[in-house]
Amino acid sequence: EHTSIAYRSSQTGKTFLYVLQGSSIIEGFKDGIVYVGEIQPNGNVINWRQTTGLGSLARANHASILYEDPSTNEVYIYIIGGNGCAGKVSFAKIVDHDIGLLGNWQTSNFNLDGTMGPGADCNTDGVASGGAFIDGNTVYLIGGNYIVGGGAGSSVVSEVRWNVIGANGEFTQNW
C-alpha cells in the first residue's frame, strides 16, 4: 500500500530511494512515515532515515511521482489521492541533496474532486489505487477506485485525469 521513488540528484550526483508509506494497520488506516536511503553504485541502500512525514495528510494506496523543474532545478515529490485522503494531492520539496531531506508537505489548491483550496479535510471524494506518470510538467492519473467521502471505494475509475505543474511545485488548474 506504499509507493517508492528513486531520484539521482543533479546537484550532488547521489541517488536516493524514497519509500512513501501506506498502511491499513497503523494510524487509523494510514501511515505518514517517509523513509529515504542512499542507493550506492553496487545497488546497496545505506543510511536509511525518516524524513518529513505526511502527518494528518497520510494515506495508503496512493500514486506518487517526482518532478524536477528544469528552470529552477527544484525537485518535488507528489502523493496523489489514496485511502485516508483520497481527494487531496500533497507535495514536498527536496531541501537537502546531500541526505535527501524533504521540506514540509503542502496540499495542492486543486483537489481531485474538482474543489479548490488546500486544508487538511480528507473526507472528500477522490481516487485510490490509481497510477500516475509525468511527461514534462504534465501529470497523468490513470484509473483506480472512486472513494466517496474519504470512505471505501465505490466503483472503478475508467478515465485519465491530468494537471500541469507550475511555479513552486503547485498545480495550475483543476484535474
Side-chain angles (χ1 to χ4, degrees), residues 141-163:
L141 178 63
I142 303 169
N145 293 314
Y146 286 112
I147 303 296
V148 179
S154 58
S155 61
V156 174
V157 175
S158 59
E159 63 189 16
V160 176
R161 299 176 188 208
W162 61 276
N163 210 325

PDB file of all heavy atoms in Angstrom, residues 141-163:
ATOM      1  N   LEU A 141      -3.051  10.931 -14.032  1.00  0.00           N
ATOM      2  CA  LEU A 141      -3.545   9.965 -13.056  1.00  0.00           C
ATOM      3  C   LEU A 141      -4.486   9.030 -13.801  1.00  0.00           C
ATOM      4  O   LEU A 141      -5.475   9.469 -14.397  1.00  0.00           O
ATOM      5  CB  LEU A 141      -4.286  10.670 -11.915  1.00  0.00           C
ATOM      6  CG  LEU A 141      -4.894   9.766 -10.845  1.00  0.00           C
ATOM      7  CD1 LEU A 141      -3.804   8.979 -10.119  1.00  0.00           C
ATOM      8  CD2 LEU A 141      -5.716  10.579  -9.866  1.00  0.00           C
ATOM      9  N   ILE A 142      -4.167   7.723 -13.751  1.00  0.00           N
ATOM     10  CA  ILE A 142      -4.888   6.752 -14.558  1.00  0.00           C
ATOM     11  C   ILE A 142      -5.601   5.750 -13.664  1.00  0.00           C
ATOM     12  O   ILE A 142      -4.983   5.140 -12.781  1.00  0.00           O
ATOM     13  CB  ILE A 142      -3.914   5.996 -15.485  1.00  0.00           C
ATOM     14  CG1 ILE A 142      -3.169   6.997 -16.365  1.00  0.00           C
ATOM     15  CG2 ILE A 142      -4.641   4.959 -16.318  1.00  0.00           C
ATOM     16  CD1 ILE A 142      -2.015   6.392 -17.108  1.00  0.00           C
ATOM     17  N   GLY A 143      -6.894   5.577 -13.896  1.00  0.00           N
ATOM     18  CA  GLY A 143      -7.657   4.526 -13.241  1.00  0.00           C
ATOM     19  C   GLY A 143      -7.725   4.654 -11.747  1.00  0.00           C
ATOM     20  O   GLY A 143      -7.592   5.728 -11.176  1.00  0.00           O
ATOM     21  N   GLY A 144      -7.950   3.510 -11.082  1.00  0.00           N
ATOM     22  CA  GLY A 144      -8.081   3.442  -9.641  1.00  0.00           C
ATOM     23  C   GLY A 144      -9.505   3.137  -9.232  1.00  0.00           C
ATOM     24  O   GLY A 144     -10.309   2.620 -10.009  1.00  0.00           O
ATOM     25  N   ASN A 145      -9.829   3.470  -7.994  1.00  0.00           N
ATOM     26  CA  ASN A 145     -11.183   3.311  -7.446  1.00  0.00           C
ATOM     27  C   ASN A 145     -11.664   4.660  -6.949  1.00  0.00           C
ATOM     28  O   ASN A 145     -10.915   5.381  -6.289  1.00  0.00           O
ATOM     29  CB  ASN A 145     -11.191   2.338  -6.263  1.00  0.00           C
ATOM     30  CG  ASN A 145     -10.873   0.937  -6.687  1.00  0.00           C
ATOM     31  OD1 ASN A 145     -11.402   0.443  -7.677  1.00  0.00           O
ATOM     32  ND2 ASN A 145     -10.000   0.285  -5.945  1.00  0.00           N
ATOM     33  N   TYR A 146     -12.935   4.985  -7.244  1.00  0.00           N
ATOM     34  CA  TYR A 146     -13.521   6.186  -6.672  1.00  0.00           C
ATOM     35  C   TYR A 146     -13.689   5.975  -5.179  1.00  0.00           C
ATOM     36  O   TYR A 146     -14.133   4.930  -4.730  1.00  0.00           O
ATOM     37  CB  TYR A 146     -14.895   6.488  -7.276  1.00  0.00           C
ATOM     38  CG  TYR A 146     -14.847   7.026  -8.675  1.00  0.00           C
ATOM     39  CD1 TYR A 146     -15.313   6.268  -9.733  1.00  0.00           C
ATOM     40  CD2 TYR A 146     -14.344   8.295  -8.935  1.00  0.00           C
ATOM     41  CE1 TYR A 146     -15.284   6.756 -11.028  1.00  0.00           C
ATOM     42  CE2 TYR A 146     -14.303   8.793 -10.220  1.00  0.00           C
ATOM     43  CZ  TYR A 146     -14.773   8.019 -11.267  1.00  0.00           C
ATOM     44  OH  TYR A 146     -14.725   8.502 -12.535  1.00  0.00           O
ATOM     45  N   ILE A 147     -13.345   6.976  -4.400  1.00  0.00           N
ATOM     46  CA  ILE A 147     -13.529   6.974  -2.961  1.00  0.00           C
ATOM     47  C   ILE A 147     -14.531   8.074  -2.657  1.00  0.00           C
ATOM     48  O   ILE A 147     -14.346   9.222  -3.046  1.00  0.00           O
ATOM     49  CB  ILE A 147     -12.193   7.248  -2.223  1.00  0.00           C
ATOM     50  CG1 ILE A 147     -11.139   6.231  -2.628  1.00  0.00           C
ATOM     51  CG2 ILE A 147     -12.404   7.263  -0.730  1.00  0.00           C
ATOM     52  CD1 ILE A 147     -11.440   4.815  -2.243  1.00  0.00           C
ATOM     53  N   VAL A 148     -15.601   7.739  -1.954  1.00  0.00           N
ATOM     54  CA  VAL A 148     -16.659   8.703  -1.665  1.00  0.00           C
ATOM     55  C   VAL A 148     -16.559   9.120  -0.208  1.00  0.00           C
ATOM     56  O   VAL A 148     -16.587   8.275   0.683  1.00  0.00           O
ATOM     57  CB  VAL A 148     -18.047   8.102  -1.974  1.00  0.00           C
ATOM     58  CG1 VAL A 148     -19.146   9.094  -1.639  1.00  0.00           C
ATOM     59  CG2 VAL A 148     -18.121   7.682  -3.428  1.00  0.00           C
ATOM     60  N   GLY A 149     -16.419  10.418   0.024  1.00  0.00           N
ATOM     61  CA  GLY A 149     -16.377  10.961   1.375  1.00  0.00           C
ATOM     62  C   GLY A 149     -15.252  10.408   2.231  1.00  0.00           C
ATOM     63  O   GLY A 149     -15.381  10.295   3.429  1.00  0.00           O
ATOM     64  N   GLY A 150     -14.131  10.044   1.608  1.00  0.00           N
ATOM     65  CA  GLY A 150     -12.988   9.525   2.340  1.00  0.00           C
ATOM     66  C   GLY A 150     -13.132   8.066   2.739  1.00  0.00           C
ATOM     67  O   GLY A 150     -12.247   7.509   3.367  1.00  0.00           O
ATOM     68  N   GLY A 151     -14.244   7.409   2.356  1.00  0.00           N
ATOM     69  CA  GLY A 151     -14.500   6.024   2.760  1.00  0.00           C
ATOM     70  C   GLY A 151     -14.013   5.017   1.737  1.00  0.00           C
ATOM     71  O   GLY A 151     -13.088   5.264   0.980  1.00  0.00           O
ATOM     72  N   ALA A 152     -14.658   3.881   1.697  1.00  0.00           N
ATOM     73  CA  ALA A 152     -14.248   2.789   0.812  1.00  0.00           C
ATOM     74  C   ALA A 152     -14.588   3.101  -0.642  1.00  0.00           C
ATOM     75  O   ALA A 152     -15.481   3.882  -0.932  1.00  0.00           O
ATOM     76  CB  ALA A 152     -14.948   1.508   1.237  1.00  0.00           C
ATOM     77  N   GLY A 153     -13.845   2.456  -1.562  1.00  0.00           N
ATOM     78  CA  GLY A 153     -14.069   2.649  -2.984  1.00  0.00           C
ATOM     79  C   GLY A 153     -15.449   2.174  -3.396  1.00  0.00           C
ATOM     80  O   GLY A 153     -15.939   1.157  -2.913  1.00  0.00           O
ATOM     81  N   SER A 154     -16.102   2.917  -4.261  1.00  0.00           N
ATOM     82  CA  SER A 154     -17.451   2.555  -4.655  1.00  0.00           C
ATOM     83  C   SER A 154     -17.520   2.058  -6.090  1.00  0.00           C
ATOM     84  O   SER A 154     -18.447   1.350  -6.441  1.00  0.00           O
ATOM     85  CB  SER A 154     -18.390   3.749  -4.465  1.00  0.00           C
ATOM     86  OG  SER A 154     -17.935   4.849  -5.226  1.00  0.00           O
ATOM     87  N   SER A 155     -16.591   2.450  -6.942  1.00  0.00           N
ATOM     88  CA  SER A 155     -16.598   1.988  -8.320  1.00  0.00           C
ATOM     89  C   SER A 155     -15.220   2.211  -8.945  1.00  0.00           C
ATOM     90  O   SER A 155     -14.406   2.963  -8.436  1.00  0.00           O
ATOM     91  CB  SER A 155     -17.675   2.717  -9.132  1.00  0.00           C
ATOM     92  OG  SER A 155     -17.420   4.106  -9.159  1.00  0.00           O
ATOM     93  N   VAL A 156     -15.021   1.556 -10.059  1.00  0.00           N
ATOM     94  CA  VAL A 156     -13.737   1.627 -10.756  1.00  0.00           C
ATOM     95  C   VAL A 156     -13.667   2.912 -11.588  1.00  0.00           C
ATOM     96  O   VAL A 156     -14.637   3.292 -12.242  1.00  0.00           O
ATOM     97  CB  VAL A 156     -13.570   0.391 -11.664  1.00  0.00           C
ATOM     98  CG1 VAL A 156     -12.314   0.503 -12.503  1.00  0.00           C
ATOM     99  CG2 VAL A 156     -13.531  -0.868 -10.820  1.00  0.00           C
ATOM    100  N   VAL A 157     -12.526   3.575 -11.546  1.00  0.00           N
ATOM    101  CA  VAL A 157     -12.291   4.765 -12.356  1.00  0.00           C
ATOM    102  C   VAL A 157     -11.874   4.306 -13.746  1.00  0.00           C
ATOM    103  O   VAL A 157     -10.945   3.522 -13.893  1.00  0.00           O
ATOM    104  CB  VAL A 157     -11.175   5.642 -11.739  1.00  0.00           C
ATOM    105  CG1 VAL A 157     -10.852   6.818 -12.650  1.00  0.00           C
ATOM    106  CG2 VAL A 157     -11.566   6.120 -10.355  1.00  0.00           C
ATOM    107  N   SER A 158     -12.556   4.779 -14.757  1.00  0.00           N
ATOM    108  CA  SER A 158     -12.212   4.403 -16.131  1.00  0.00           C
ATOM    109  C   SER A 158     -11.867   5.647 -16.946  1.00  0.00           C
ATOM    110  O   SER A 158     -12.338   5.832 -18.061  1.00  0.00           O
ATOM    111  CB  SER A 158     -13.366   3.632 -16.777  1.00  0.00           C
ATOM    112  OG  SER A 158     -14.531   4.431 -16.793  1.00  0.00           O
ATOM    113  N   GLU A 159     -11.045   6.502 -16.366  1.00  0.00           N
ATOM    114  CA  GLU A 159     -10.668   7.735 -17.041  1.00  0.00           C
ATOM    115  C   GLU A 159      -9.225   8.100 -16.710  1.00  0.00           C
ATOM    116  O   GLU A 159      -8.631   7.541 -15.790  1.00  0.00           O
ATOM    117  CB  GLU A 159     -11.587   8.882 -16.617  1.00  0.00           C
ATOM    118  CG  GLU A 159     -11.506   9.211 -15.138  1.00  0.00           C
ATOM    119  CD  GLU A 159     -12.563  10.205 -14.678  1.00  0.00           C
ATOM    120  OE1 GLU A 159     -13.538  10.421 -15.397  1.00  0.00           O
ATOM    121  OE2 GLU A 159     -12.391  10.749 -13.588  1.00  0.00           O
ATOM    122  N   VAL A 160      -8.712   9.022 -17.481  1.00  0.00           N
ATOM    123  CA  VAL A 160      -7.386   9.589 -17.236  1.00  0.00           C
ATOM    124  C   VAL A 160      -7.597  11.047 -16.859  1.00  0.00           C
ATOM    125  O   VAL A 160      -8.263  11.789 -17.579  1.00  0.00           O
ATOM    126  CB  VAL A 160      -6.487   9.490 -18.488  1.00  0.00           C
ATOM    127  CG1 VAL A 160      -5.154  10.174 -18.249  1.00  0.00           C
ATOM    128  CG2 VAL A 160      -6.297   8.036 -18.888  1.00  0.00           C
ATOM    129  N   ARG A 161      -7.048  11.439 -15.717  1.00  0.00           N
ATOM    130  CA  ARG A 161      -7.087  12.845 -15.293  1.00  0.00           C
ATOM    131  C   ARG A 161      -5.692  13.410 -15.485  1.00  0.00           C
ATOM    132  O   ARG A 161      -4.711  12.684 -15.404  1.00  0.00           O
ATOM    133  CB  ARG A 161      -7.480  12.952 -13.828  1.00  0.00           C
ATOM    134  CG  ARG A 161      -8.833  12.388 -13.521  1.00  0.00           C
ATOM    135  CD  ARG A 161      -9.090  12.446 -12.033  1.00  0.00           C
ATOM    136  NE  ARG A 161     -10.316  11.739 -11.713  1.00  0.00           N
ATOM    137  CZ  ARG A 161     -11.075  12.015 -10.683  1.00  0.00           C
ATOM    138  NH1 ARG A 161     -10.728  12.973  -9.848  1.00  0.00           N
ATOM    139  NH2 ARG A 161     -12.174  11.335 -10.454  1.00  0.00           N
ATOM    140  N   TRP A 162      -5.594  14.710 -15.675  1.00  0.00           N
ATOM    141  CA  TRP A 162      -4.274  15.309 -15.841  1.00  0.00           C
ATOM    142  C   TRP A 162      -4.262  16.709 -15.261  1.00  0.00           C
ATOM    143  O   TRP A 162      -5.293  17.324 -15.041  1.00  0.00           O
ATOM    144  CB  TRP A 162      -3.859  15.315 -17.307  1.00  0.00           C
ATOM    145  CG  TRP A 162      -4.779  16.106 -18.202  1.00  0.00           C
ATOM    146  CD1 TRP A 162      -5.938  15.689 -18.766  1.00  0.00           C
ATOM    147  CD2 TRP A 162      -4.615  17.464 -18.594  1.00  0.00           C
ATOM    148  NE1 TRP A 162      -6.511  16.702 -19.486  1.00  0.00           N
ATOM    149  CE2 TRP A 162      -5.703  17.807 -19.410  1.00  0.00           C
ATOM    150  CE3 TRP A 162      -3.644  18.430 -18.335  1.00  0.00           C
ATOM    151  CZ2 TRP A 162      -5.857  19.061 -19.964  1.00  0.00           C
ATOM    152  CZ3 TRP A 162      -3.792  19.690 -18.897  1.00  0.00           C
ATOM    153  CH2 TRP A 162      -4.886  19.985 -19.698  1.00  0.00           C
ATOM    154  N   ASN A 163      -3.040  17.186 -14.988  1.00  0.00           N
ATOM    155  CA  ASN A 163      -2.840  18.535 -14.481  1.00  0.00           C
ATOM    156  C   ASN A 163      -1.422  18.966 -14.830  1.00  0.00           C
ATOM    157  O   ASN A 163      -0.579  18.132 -15.161  1.00  0.00           O
ATOM    158  CB  ASN A 163      -3.053  18.595 -12.968  1.00  0.00           C
ATOM    159  CG  ASN A 163      -3.562  19.933 -12.502  1.00  0.00           C
ATOM    160  OD1 ASN A 163      -3.188  20.965 -13.058  1.00  0.00           O
ATOM    161  ND2 ASN A 163      -4.401  19.925 -11.488  1.00  0.00           N
TER     162      ASN A 163
END
